[in-house]
Amino acid sequence: MSAVGVAKSVFKQRGITPDTSRPESSALLPVDKAAEAERAALVKENIAPVAPELARYTDDVLFADLWRQPDLAARDRSLVTVAALIARGQLEQLSFHLNKARESGLTKTQAAEVATQLAFYAGWPRAMSSLPIIKAVYAQPDK
C-alpha cells in the first residue's frame, strides 16, 4: 500500500489515467450488490474513521477495479488471495477472504487442499494455523 502514493505521483507526471491504463474492451466482472454493500459497510465502519485514504483505495481501487478485472475469475482471485494470506501468516483477513472464496464456489475440500499444498511451500505452522479458520468458515450455513 505504501507504493500507491508513489505510483499515483508517477502516473500523474506521465499523464496516465484510469481511462488510458486499461484497454477499452475489457468489461469488468459483475458485482454481487448485497455482498459488496456488506463489505463496503465494514470498510466505512472500521477503516475509514482511522485511515480514510486506505478506505478509499480499498473501495475504489482494490474492490471496484482489481477484483473486477476479467482476466481471473472471482473464484481464482479468491484462491490466490487465500493462498497468499496463509503463506504469509496473515490470518486476520483469512476469514473474510475464505467467505468470499466460498461464495465464488471454493469448496471446503478445495480450501483444505490449499492448506495442504501450502504446508510444503510456506511451512507446516502456517498451514496448520489456517485450519481452524477454514473449519469455522465452512461450518457456517450457506448464505
Side-chain angles (χ1 to χ4, degrees):
M1 290 304 297
S2 61
V4 171
V6 174
K8 183 178 176 182
S9 175
V10 170
F11 287 179
K12 184 176 181 180
Q13 289 172 355
R14 295 182 181 179
I16 300 170
T17 67
D19 297 336
T20 61
S21 64
R22 181 184 321 123
E24 290 186 33
S25 63
S26 66
L28 296 177
L29 295 174
V31 172
D32 176 331
K33 290 183 182 184
E36 178 57 18
E38 185 177 324
R39 185 212 54 78
L42 288 171
V43 168
K44 184 177 180 180
E45 181 181 330
N46 296 306
I47 298 171
V50 178
E53 284 301 295
L54 180 57
R56 186 175 67 77
Y57 289 133
T58 299
D59 289 340
D60 298 347
V61 178
L62 181 60
F63 285 100
D65 186 35
L66 179 72
W67 272 89
R68 296 186 60 212
Q69 291 300 310
D71 295 322
L72 284 177
R75 180 191 174 281
D76 298 338
R77 226 172 261 285
S78 287
L79 183 63
V80 169
T81 303
V82 165
L85 291 171
I86 294 171
R88 302 242 337 132
Q90 299 293 316
L91 302 179
E92 298 84 7
Q93 297 289 311
L94 186 56
S95 180
F96 171 82
H97 284 286
L98 269 172
N99 275 300
K100 194 167 180 57
R102 183 180 177 190
E103 291 167 6
S104 296
L106 190 73
T107 67
K108 180 180 180 182
T109 301
Q110 291 168 332
E113 193 62 24
V114 169
T116 302
Q117 176 89 7
L118 288 171
F120 289 89
Y121 290 93
W124 239 258
R126 289 185 176 177
M128 296 295 278
S129 295
S130 72
L131 294 180
I133 300 168
I134 293 170
K135 182 179 177 183
V137 165
Y138 284 90
Q140 300 169 12
D142 289 336
K143 289 183 179 182

